[in-house]
Amino acid sequence: MDDLRLKRQVCFALYAASRAVTGLYRPALERLGLTYPQYLVMLVLWEHGESSVKDLGAALMLDSGTLSPLLKRLETVGYLARRRDPADERSVLIGLTPRGEALRGEAATVPTTVARASGMAAKELSALRDTLVALTEAVTATAAHQTDGVRR
Amino acid sequence: MDDLRLKRQVCFALYAASRAVTGLYRPALERLGLTYPQYLVMLVLWEHGESSVKDLGAALMLDSGTLSPLLKRLETVGYLARRRDPADERSVLIGLTPRGEALRGEAATVPTTVARASGMAAKELSALRDTLVALTEAVTATAAHQTDGVRR
DNA sequence: TCACATTTGATTGTGCACAACTGAATCGTG
DNA sequence: CACGATTCAGTTGTGCACAATCAAATGTGA
């Protein structure tokens, strides 16, 4: 018989922690006019420059159903520009406008501000991050394997 | 200057892991006719029995804006019943129907099935859970402290 | 080359999250 | 008791997530 007590569930701990930490970002990001997923998109673009919707989706594990309207909103407020890839007309390239690029400076202090508010040491946080990345990789590998198994 | 690289962000690791693990639950929960947040509500009710919306919200860190429509859906499919608290007419008590209670047996194998699919050892998972709980507590304490500070 | 499969991004529909607000019930203080 | 403040659940509006589907562009093999 399995243990169904809420406090024993790793899944709930993850779900609760993710929402709590996102909430910690909210006030800082509100000042930048960004939601949390929008901020993640900006992180990718600041780091890698112009990217296809596909590449953004791969980096953030999001599909076009989530990204398309999100990118449209960021385009409307003037942080992004989109253009077709001349080499492959199926692909759409998302780039930063000057305003979007300029936002990077304002965002620079966000991570350490939040990290400090988290009440955990930097070493502890990076250990946690590594564990979470390993978990995510294990889980996505399992999920991919399962769907493969079903299909074959 | 802060590090804005995506892979360095604990927040993204949390966000990605939470969604990946939720996705691992999805096929199992689909067989029970539950979404992941609906499953969490059922966990609380199986463990504590009839509870007010307020108590469900406290346990899951969700407000009535999320819970009200979710509970209405679970009531519609016949897992829950709601009644006013005779001792306090503001409060609504959510209880399990026989069908909702019976679902517990079918859900019993879900956690270990998912844990196995996660590819992590039980000891590692419980250590991760404890770290996440500590992080959530630290973050919510900070958030509460901040809003207190603003109000005063 | 041509028929067919695959890739890419967009759209539609459902169900959370969360802020802001509403109305009813209850509480607290004078 | 009275009455303003608070609590509680619900509603509205916005923005994700994600499944399912679509159309256009591209790839592939006979």
Side-chain angles (χ1 to χ4, degrees):
Chain A
M1 183 64 173
D2 288 285
D3 190 342
L4 288 176
R5 280 174 291 181
L6 183 67
K7 295 201 170 171
R8 295 296 187 90
Q9 308 297 314
V10 181
C11 64
F12 174 64
L14 260 173
Y15 165 82
S18 178
R19 287 191 299 121
V21 171
T22 301
L24 208 54
Y25 275 80
R26 211 180 307 282
L29 294 181
E30 205 162 359
R31 283 190 278 277
L32 306 183
L34 295 174
T35 66
Y36 183 72
Q38 288 169 6
Y39 167 71
L40 294 178
V41 167
M42 297 302 284
L43 285 184
V44 174
L45 293 174
W46 288 328
E47 185 175 350
H48 296 112
E50 193 175 51
S51 308
S52 67
V53 174
K54 178 193 176 185
D55 290 345
L56 287 173
L60 301 174
M61 306 204 300
L62 293 171
D63 63 10
S64 68
T66 301
L67 284 174
S68 282
L70 187 156
L71 295 171
K72 190 184 291 179
R73 282 186 279 272
L74 285 177
E75 193 184 7
T76 302
V77 298
Y79 291 153
L80 303 185
R82 73 172 66 199
R83 66 189 183 97
R84 288 274 160 194
D85 184 345
D88 184 346
E89 293 282 337
R90 291 172 301 183
S91 190
V92 170
L93 298 176
I94 307 295
L96 291 163
T97 60
R99 279 191 60 204
E101 190 64 62
L103 206 63
R104 185 182 198 161
E106 299 186 52
T109 59
V110 169
T112 44
T113 303
V114 173
R116 198 168 297 140
S118 78
M120 286 182 85
K123 186 177 281 183
E124 237 182 328
L125 285 175
S126 61
L128 172 60
R129 185 197 59 212
D130 294 344
T131 304
L132 291 171
V133 169
L135 174 62
T136 303
E137 279 174 10
V139 164
T140 51
T142 304
H145 195 264
Q146 280 180 346
T147 49
D148 280 5
V150 168
R151 276 183 194 154
R152 278 170 193 163
Chain B
M1 182 65 174
D2 289 284
D3 190 342
L4 288 175
R5 280 174 291 182
L6 184 66
K7 295 202 171 170
R8 294 297 187 92
Q9 309 297 314
V10 181
C11 64
F12 174 65
L14 259 173
Y15 166 82
S18 178
R19 287 192 297 121
V21 170
T22 301
L24 208 54
Y25 275 80
R26 211 180 308 281
L29 294 181
E30 203 161 1
R31 283 189 278 276
L32 306 183
L34 294 175
T35 67
Y36 182 72
Q38 289 168 6
Y39 168 71
L40 294 179
V41 166
M42 297 302 284
L43 285 185
V44 175
L45 293 175
W46 288 328
E47 186 176 348
H48 295 111
E50 192 175 50
S51 308
S52 67
V53 175
K54 179 194 176 184
D55 289 344
L56 288 172
L60 301 173
M61 304 203 303
L62 293 171
D63 64 10
S64 67
T66 300
L67 285 175
S68 282
L70 187 157
L71 294 172
K72 190 185 290 180
R73 282 185 280 272
L74 285 177
E75 193 183 6
T76 302
V77 299
Y79 291 154
L80 304 185
R82 72 172 68 198
R83 66 188 182 99
R84 287 276 160 193
D85 184 346
D88 184 344
E89 294 282 337
R90 290 172 302 184
S91 188
V92 169
L93 297 177
I94 308 295
L96 292 163
T97 61
R99 279 190 60 205
E101 190 65 61
L103 206 64
R104 184 182 199 161
E106 298 184 54
T109 59
V110 169
T112 44
T113 304
V114 172
R116 198 169 296 141
S118 79
M120 286 182 85
K123 187 177 278 184
E124 236 181 330
L125 285 175
S126 61
L128 171 61
R129 185 198 59 211
D130 294 344
T131 305
L132 291 171
V133 169
L135 174 62
T136 303
E137 280 174 10
V139 163
T140 51
T142 305
H145 195 265
Q146 282 179 345
T147 49
D148 279 5
V150 167
R151 277 185 193 153
R152 282 171 191 162

